[in-house]
C-alpha cells in the first residue's frame, strides 16, 4: 500500500463541469415543480413578465435529452458560437502580423530615457489591449523584456510582472469592446455587443488609474529602499532571461498600417453600435474586415491569412463548445419547465432586497464561480442566460448583469491560480503565488469596493 502514489487533485476541465451540470439539471427536472411565466417582446427581445408565474404539467428530461442537449445548444446558440469563431479568426490574422506586440515593444524602447513614464505608459498600452480584445496570452513575451529592464532600473521583478499583468488584467476587467468577455455576455443577454461603452470607458479610466497608482507606489518604495521589496530574497540568476530572445517583431510601416486599420475598425464598430443599432452580424463583419485587410496590409500571403484565420478560430473552439454546452443546460431546464420555477423562487427571495444588494451579490457570486470556471466565455455562457431574465424580474437591467459578470471574472483573474498566464508569468520571474497574493490583496480590496460603487451608481443612472 505504501507504494501507491497519492493522486494529485486537478481542477476538472470547464467542459467537463458544464456537461456534469447538464446531468444535474436533468435530474432536477424530476424533482423541481414545473412552472412557467408569460413573456413579452421588449426592444426585440423576449422578457419575462413579473407576476405571471403559474404551475404547469411536468416534463422530466431523461438520458436521451441529456445527450442531445449539446447539439441542441449548438443550434440555439449558433449565432453567438459563429461570432466567437469569426472574431477569433480575425484576431488570429492580426496576431500573425505581430503589429500590436511590436508597437508596444517599440514604445517601451523609446521611453527608456524617460524612466518615470515607463510604468504608466506601458500599463496603459497593456490595458488598452485588455479592454479592446482581451489581451492575455499575448503578454507572455513581454515578461522577457520587462524583468531585466525593471531590475536594471532599480526596481524588482515583482514590479515587472505587475506592470505587464496588472495592466492587461485591469483592462480585461474594465472591458469596453472586448468581444471575448463583455461581447459574448451581451450577445447572450440579447443586447448589442459594444453597447453601454460610454459608462464602460469611465470605468476603464478609473480602474487603470487605481492600478497604475498602486504599482507606481510599490515601485517607488522599492527603488528608494530595496529592502522593502517583497521578492528581495528571490534570485533571478537561474532564470537565464534574454530580453533579445522574445520573438517580437520590429515595428515597421506595415505594422503601423495594421494598428491604424485596427483602430479605425474599432471606431467604426463603436459608431455602428451607438448610432446605427448594429448587432452581431454587422460587428462580425467589422472584425472580418479588420482581419483580412490587416493581413493584406502586413504583406501576408493568402495562405498565411487563411491559416492564421483557421488557427485563431481553432484557439476559440473550446470557447464555442462551452457556449453550446452551457446553452444545453438552459435548454434542459426550459424543456423540463423548471427554469421559470427557479427564476420565480430566486425572485421571491431577492424582491425584498434593495437592488444595490442584488447587483453586488451578483458580482461577488460571479467572482467566486470564476475560481471554478476561469474561462470568460465559459462563465458567461453558464451564468448570464439565467441571471439576465432574473434581472428582468427584479428590475435590474441586463447591461448591469453583464457588468457584474465582467468585473466578477475580471477581479478574480488578478489572483486565480488556475490562470495559465498568471502562473506562467510568476514562474518566469521565480515569484511564488503566495507572494503575489500578498502583493495584490490591498489592490483587490480597493478594486472590489470601486466595482461595487460603479454597480450601485449604474442602477441609479439607468445604465
Amino acid at each position: 500500500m505504501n507504494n501507491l502514489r497519492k493522486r494529485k487533485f486537478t481542477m476538472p476541465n470547464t467542459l467537463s463541469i458544464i456537461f456534469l451540470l447538464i446531468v444535474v439539471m436533468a435530474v432536477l427536472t424530476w424533482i423541481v415543480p414545473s412552472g412557467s411565466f408569460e413573456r413579452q417582446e421588449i426592444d426585440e427581445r423576449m422578457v419575462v413578465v413579473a407576476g405571471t408565474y403559474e404551475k404547469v404539467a411536468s416534463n422530466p428530461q431523461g438520458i436521451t435529452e441529456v445527450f442531445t442537449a449539446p447539439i441542441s445548444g449548438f443550434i440555439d446558440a449558433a449565432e453567438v458560437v459563429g461570432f466567437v469563431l469569426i472574431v477569433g479568426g480575425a484576431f488570429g490574422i492580426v496576431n500573425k502580423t505581430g503589429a500590436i506586440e511590436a508597437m508596444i515593444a517599440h514604445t517601451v524602447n523609446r521611453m527608456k530615457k524617460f524612466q518615470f513614464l515607463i510604468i504608466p505608459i506601458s500599463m496603459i498600452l497593456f490595458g488598452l489591449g485588455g479592454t479592446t480584445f482581451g489581451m492575455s496570452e499575448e503578454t507572455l513575451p513581454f515578461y522577457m523584456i520587462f524583468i531585466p529592464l525593471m531590475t536594471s532600473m532599480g526596481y524588482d521583478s515583482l514590479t515587472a510582472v505587475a506592470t505587464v499583468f496588472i495592466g492587461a488584467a485591469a483592462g480585461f476587467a474594465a472591458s469596453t469592446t472586448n468581444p471575448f468577455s463583455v461581447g459574448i455576455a451581451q450577445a447572450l443577454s440579447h443586447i448589442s455587443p459594444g453597447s453601454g461603452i460610454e459608462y464602460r470607458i469611465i470605468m476603464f479610466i478609473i480602474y487603470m488609474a487605481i492600478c497604475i497608482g498602486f504599482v507606481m507606489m510599490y515601485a517607488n518604495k522599492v527603488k528608494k529602499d530595496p529592502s522593502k521589496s517583497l521578492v528581495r530574497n528571490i534570485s533571478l540568476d537561474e532564470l537565464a532571461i534574454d530580453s533579445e530572445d522574445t520573438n517580437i517583431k520590429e515595428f515597421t510601416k506595415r505594422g503601423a498600417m495594421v494598428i491604424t486599420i485596427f483602430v479605425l475598425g474599432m471606431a467604426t464598430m463603436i459608431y455602428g453600435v451607438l448610432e446605427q443599432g448594429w448587432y452581431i452580424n454587422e460587428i462580425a463583419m467589422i472584425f472580418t474586415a479588420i482581419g483580412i485587410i490587416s493581413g493584406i496590409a502586413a504583406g501576408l500571403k493568402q495562405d498565411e491569412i487563411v491559416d492564421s484565420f483557421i488557427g485563431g478560430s481553432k484557439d476559440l473552439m473550446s470557447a464555442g463548445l462551452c457556449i453550446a454546452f452551457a446553452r444545453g443546460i438552459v435548454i434542459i431546464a426550459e424543456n423540463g419547465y423548471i427554469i421559470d420555477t427557479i427564476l420565480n423562487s430566486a425572485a421571491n427571495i431577492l424582491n425584498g432586497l434593495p437592488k444595490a444588494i442584488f447587483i453586488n451579490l451578483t458580482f461577488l457570486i460571479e467572482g467566486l464561480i470564476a475560481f471554478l470556471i476561469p474561462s470568460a466565455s465559459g462563465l458567461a455562457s453558464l451564468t448570464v442566460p439565467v441571471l439576465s431574465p432574473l434581472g428582468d424580474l427584479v428590475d435590474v437591467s441586463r447591461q448591469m448583469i453583464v457588468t457584474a459578470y465582467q468585473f466578477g471574472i475580471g477581479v478574480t483573474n488578478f489572483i486565480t491560480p488556475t490562470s495559465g498566464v498568471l502562473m506562467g508569468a510568476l514562474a518566469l520571474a521565480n515569484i511564488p503565488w503566495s507572494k503575489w497574493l500578498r502583493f495584490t490583496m490591498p489592490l483587490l480590496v480597493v478594486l472590489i469596493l470601486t466595482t461595487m460603487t460603479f454597480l450601485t451608481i449604474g442602477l441609479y443612472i439607468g445604465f
Side-chain angles (χ1 to χ4, degrees):
M1 295 291 291
N2 292 334
N3 293 329
L4 292 177
R5 296 181 178 178
K6 292 183 178 180
R7 293 185 177 179
K8 185 178 179 181
F9 174 78
T10 56
M11 186 69 68
N13 184 277
T14 299
L15 206 58
S16 300
I17 295 172
I18 292 175
F19 186 76
L20 178 61
L21 290 175
I22 291 177
V23 176
V24 170
M25 190 62 72
V27 172
L28 289 177
T29 63
W30 294 81
I31 302 171
V32 177
S34 299
S36 178
F37 279 106
E38 292 181 8
R39 285 170 167 76
Q40 63 182 11
E41 185 174 333
I42 298 178
D43 296 330
E44 299 183 356
R45 65 172 183 267
M46 299 305 296
V47 176
V48 172
V49 180
T52 61
Y53 176 82
E54 59 181 6
K55 292 183 178 180
V56 298
S58 64
N59 183 35
Q61 304 291 287
I63 192 168
T64 301
E65 289 77 15
V66 166
F67 286 104
T68 56
I71 188 63
S72 298
F74 257 113
I75 294 170
D76 197 61
E79 187 177 40
V80 179
V81 174
F83 171 74
V84 168
L85 295 180
I86 288 175
V87 173
F91 275 108
I93 300 172
V94 174
N95 288 337
K96 176 67 175 178
T97 69
I100 293 176
E101 292 89 343
M103 184 268 293
I104 294 175
H106 174 75
T107 303
V108 170
N109 187 56
R110 294 290 296 271
M111 289 191 304
K112 284 184 178 179
K113 295 179 181 178
F114 307 95
Q115 293 187 6
F116 66 98
L117 290 176
I118 286 184
I119 292 176
I121 298 298
S122 298
M123 290 186 70
I124 289 171
L125 291 173
F126 288 120
L128 288 170
T131 195
T132 55
F133 67 92
M135 189 177 195
S136 182
E137 290 85 355
E138 297 85 356
T139 62
L140 288 172
F142 288 97
Y143 296 104
M144 309 290 281
I145 295 175
F146 275 81
I147 292 173
L149 174 64
M150 290 297 179
T151 53
S152 69
M153 290 166 52
Y155 302 117
D156 61 4
S157 58
L158 188 54
T159 303
V161 173
T163 299
V164 180
F165 184 83
I166 291 181
F172 179 87
S175 289
T176 51
T177 60
N178 179 8
F180 307 118
S181 61
V182 67
I184 291 174
Q186 288 178 321
L188 291 168
S189 290
H190 302 289
I191 54 181
S192 296
S195 57
I197 191 170
E198 303 93 337
Y199 194 50
R200 297 185 194 284
I201 289 175
I202 296 173
M203 289 188 274
F204 169 73
I205 293 171
I206 295 177
Y207 240 62
M208 288 304 303
I210 292 171
C211 290
I212 290 170
F214 176 79
V215 174
M216 290 190 71
M217 285 174 60
Y218 174 80
N220 290 332
K221 180 175 68 174
V222 169
K223 190 164 187 176
K224 290 179 181 178
D225 184 359
S227 67
K228 298 291 182 67
S229 170
L230 295 177
V231 294
R232 60 186 176 278
N233 298 322
I234 296 175
S235 174
L236 292 175
D237 295 339
E238 60 192 59
L239 300 184
I241 291 177
D242 183 0
S243 61
E244 300 299 322
D245 185 23
T246 60
N247 294 319
I248 296 177
K249 298 178 180 178
E250 182 183 354
F251 191 55
T252 63
K253 290 182 179 180
R254 285 185 179 274
M257 290 174 62
V258 171
I259 297 298
T260 302
I261 292 165
F262 180 79
V263 171
L264 289 176
M266 298 301 288
T268 302
M269 186 199 76
I270 293 170
Y271 169 78
V273 169
L274 297 180
E275 300 296 331
Q276 303 297 319
W278 284 3
Y279 195 53
I280 287 181
N281 288 354
E282 294 83 2
I283 296 170
M285 169 193 72
I286 291 296
F287 280 113
T288 303
I290 289 174
I292 293 175
I293 298 172
S294 293
I296 295 171
L300 299 181
K301 298 177 181 178
Q302 65 85 21
D303 57 336
E304 290 180 306
I305 293 175
V306 173
D307 289 344
S308 300
F309 186 90
I310 293 172
S313 297
K314 189 187 299 182
D315 290 340
L316 289 178
M317 181 60 71
S318 61
L321 288 170
C322 286
I323 292 169
F325 273 56
R327 186 60 192 168
I329 300 172
V330 179
I331 288 174
I332 287 284
E334 288 177 343
N335 291 343
Y337 300 118
I338 66 169
I339 185 68
D340 284 1
T341 301
I342 294 171
L343 291 174
N344 184 59
S345 300
N348 287 337
I349 294 171
L350 296 169
N351 263 333
L353 296 175
K355 289 190 289 185
I357 293 179
F358 166 75
I359 196 63
N360 284 299
L361 278 176
T362 301
F363 156 64
L364 295 174
I365 290 170
E366 290 279 15
L368 290 173
I369 298 175
F371 276 104
L372 184 65
I373 302 177
S375 163
S377 55
L379 183 65
S381 55
L382 184 65
T383 60
V384 171
V386 176
L387 291 172
S388 290
L390 180 58
D392 295 337
L393 288 173
V394 297
D395 196 27
V396 172
S397 74
R398 296 191 173 201
Q399 201 72 262
M400 289 300 301
I401 297 294
V402 170
T403 305
Y405 144 78
Q406 82 177 58
F407 279 110
I409 190 168
V411 171
T412 297
N413 277 348
F414 275 83
I415 59 170
T416 178
T418 57
S419 168
V421 175
L422 173 60
M423 301 311 288
L426 295 179
L428 277 172
N430 202 20
I431 299 173
W433 180 77
S434 58
K435 292 277 189 183
W436 177 258
L437 184 63
R438 178 184 170 187
F439 169 69
T440 54
M441 281 309 296
L443 174 62
L444 285 183
V445 171
V446 174
L447 291 181
I448 288 171
L449 293 175
T450 301
T451 299
M452 295 175 76
T453 302
F454 274 133
L455 292 173
T456 304
I457 292 173
L459 290 171
Y460 295 100
I461 65 173
F463 179 60

